[in-house]
Amino acid sequence: MRKPGVPHPRLPLPKGQEDLAAFHTWLGDAIPMVGALGIESMSLHNHSLTWRLALAPNLNDKGTGFGGALSAQTTLQGWCWVTLWLRGQGLARDVVVAEATQRFLAPVNGDYRLICTPSEPDGIEKLSQKLAERGKGRIALTQQLYCGDALCLEAHGSYAVLSCSD
């Protein structure tokens, strides 16, 4: 049972390619609400993190996606993107969300996918440079939620990588 104020142990850095199933399991232990979000799978390809999610655990009173759950998913996915990118660089660092916004475009009425990518083409390079120069940095990410072919939500977030002493 997790206790407030006690950090969860870090997942050891991968030796080679990240095991996303192991990361997902660790994530559920580290952040208890993850188990209730309906994340069915995760995939990482070309700096794009994709989640497949079930609608059933995220229903609102109208039978569509609950905005609060969808917002939590976009924020968490951005945090995961940065954490996984850092792990791929051999870095175990703390990541926090600095800013997050969501724009709801259409109701979510079925299972869906959430895709997270850097907002700027040179975002990864800028983050790498800041980490090398200052030991900390930020990256802007975009999350898009699709139900079938329909874009239902677009979110933007700024995620900070803290310095080792923060």
Side-chain angles (χ1 to χ4, degrees):
M1 178 81 165
R2 290 287 314 280
K3 293 184 182 180
V6 178
H8 190 71
R10 290 187 193 273
L11 183 65
L13 289 172
K15 294 178 174 116
Q17 188 171 348
E18 184 78 53
D19 179 346
L20 290 177
F23 179 80
H24 188 185
T25 298
W26 171 84
L27 188 64
D29 292 339
I31 304 172
M33 73 177 277
V34 166
L37 292 179
I39 302 168
E40 295 181 338
S41 69
M42 296 183 183
S43 62
L44 192 56
H45 184 68
N46 290 338
H47 302 298
S48 177
L49 177 61
T50 301
W51 289 358
R52 298 221 174 259
L53 299 107
L55 176 60
N58 300 295
L59 289 171
N60 64 16
D61 59 316
K62 293 168 244 358
T64 60
F66 173 57
L70 303 177
S71 295
Q73 291 166 356
T74 61
T75 301
L76 178 64
Q77 189 187 40
W79 181 91
C80 287
W81 187 99
V82 178
T83 299
L84 288 166
W85 180 82
L86 287 166
R87 290 172 56 75
Q89 308 306 303
L91 300 171
R93 302 288 292 280
D94 286 329
V95 176
V96 296
V97 60
E99 295 178 48
T101 61
Q102 299 82 31
R103 184 166 170 242
F104 297 89
L105 304 168
V108 177
N109 55 16
D111 292 348
Y112 52 99
R113 69 189 183 286
L114 192 56
I115 303 166
C116 181
T117 57
S119 300
E120 301 170 351
D122 61 348
I124 294 171
E125 291 80 18
K126 287 180 180 178
L127 177 59
S128 295
Q129 182 179 12
K130 289 293 182 189
L131 289 173
E133 291 173 357
R134 302 177 57 213
K136 61 183 178 178
R138 278 192 187 202
I139 188 166
L141 299 173
T142 299
Q143 298 88 18
Q144 294 180 313
L145 186 155
Y146 290 90
C147 190
D149 292 331
L151 177 61
C152 298
L153 178 151
E154 187 166 76
H156 299 278
S158 175
Y159 296 83
V161 178
L162 304 180
S163 65
C164 293
S165 62
D166 286 347

